[in-house]
Amino acid sequence: MFLNYLKNFFTQKIVKESLANVKHTAAQSTIKTVGIIFDETYFYEREALVRELVQNGIEEQNIKVLVFKDKIKKNEHFDYPVFSNKDLSWTATFDKSEVKEFIAQKFDLLLNYYDTEKPALLLVSNQSKAAFKVGFASIDKKLNHFMINTNAENYKVFVEELFKYLKILNKI
């Protein structure tokens, strides 16, 4: 338990230092590919959120999902990529191939769908090669290009606000 606290502390420190050096570039392309990072600790409506995105014009095969869980049981199996704090090393790198692939993939839009700061989630979001990052206002302001002020349980409000502003920004 104490070691997990230390690992989270050091990871948080590494993330904060890397966020201090973030340079945002304005992406002018339209949105075709979407990556979503979920925190399944508090939000279980993953499929409903994906359906909302599809209803707003994003093709389902262009949506990639990565789910974070605080604890993964030994015999638990998922049909989508899942990671936890155990997949995070002491040097703030990931050992799991699904996480590495997600980070390396270039998305037009990355949805950071979590409203509680956790070092593993912040690290994946920060290292992502996404052109435009959207998240909640309760998360570090340096991480996202655009922030929506709502909570994770209101996914319909989040998607509604997202697409309203994406239209204004000529992203869709």
Side-chain angles (χ1 to χ4, degrees):
M1 175 120 172
F2 180 70
L3 291 177
N4 285 335
Y5 175 77
L6 277 177
K7 184 164 90 172
N8 281 340
F9 174 78
F10 288 123
T11 303
Q12 187 84 16
K13 185 176 177 183
I14 291 169
V15 169
K16 293 293 179 183
E17 287 173 3
S18 66
L19 283 176
N21 300 325
V22 170
K23 292 182 176 94
H24 291 294
T25 57
Q28 300 298 328
S29 64
T30 59
I31 293 173
K32 294 178 183 75
T33 58
V34 177
I36 309 171
I37 303 171
F38 283 103
D39 182 1
E40 206 169 77
T41 308
Y42 303 110
F43 182 74
Y44 304 102
E45 304 281 339
R46 176 184 52 83
E47 293 171 355
L49 180 64
V50 171
R51 274 194 308 272
E52 286 288 324
L53 293 173
V54 170
Q55 288 174 355
N56 281 289
I58 305 294
E59 294 181 28
E60 191 167 2
Q61 68 267 18
N62 292 338
I63 300 173
K64 301 286 187 240
V65 175
L66 182 65
V67 177
F68 175 82
K69 289 185 73 112
D70 280 332
K71 294 183 180 167
I72 300 175
K73 297 175 185 159
K74 273 189 177 180
N75 297 330
E76 211 171 2
H77 296 287
F78 303 97
D79 58 346
Y80 47 89
V82 177
F83 74 106
S84 70
N85 282 328
K86 287 188 178 187
D87 300 314
L88 182 63
S89 73
W90 282 84
T91 58
T93 58
F94 289 97
D95 300 327
K96 204 165 193 179
S97 63
E98 292 97 344
V99 179
K100 289 180 181 180
E101 289 170 13
F102 188 88
I103 289 171
Q105 189 166 358
K106 294 186 179 192
F107 295 109
D108 297 324
L109 173 67
L110 177 68
L111 295 180
N112 293 316
Y113 206 83
Y114 53 89
D115 56 1
T116 305
E117 288 189 5
K118 294 182 181 174
L121 290 166
L122 294 173
L123 189 64
V124 171
S125 298
N126 186 40
Q127 291 180 349
S128 173
K129 305 291 185 256
F132 191 68
K133 298 177 184 179
V134 176
F136 291 96
S138 59
I139 302 300
D140 193 328
K141 310 297 184 234
K142 299 174 193 163
L143 187 65
N144 298 309
H145 296 100
F146 184 72
M147 289 143 301
I148 297 174
N149 192 14
T150 186
N151 58 10
E153 289 80 25
N154 296 331
Y155 68 92
K156 289 187 179 193
V157 172
F158 182 86
V159 172
E160 183 181 303
E161 290 294 311
L162 172 66
F163 280 93
K164 179 170 81 174
Y165 286 104
L166 287 177
K167 287 176 185 172
I168 291 170
L169 297 170
N170 291 325
K171 297 266 184 206
I172 54 172

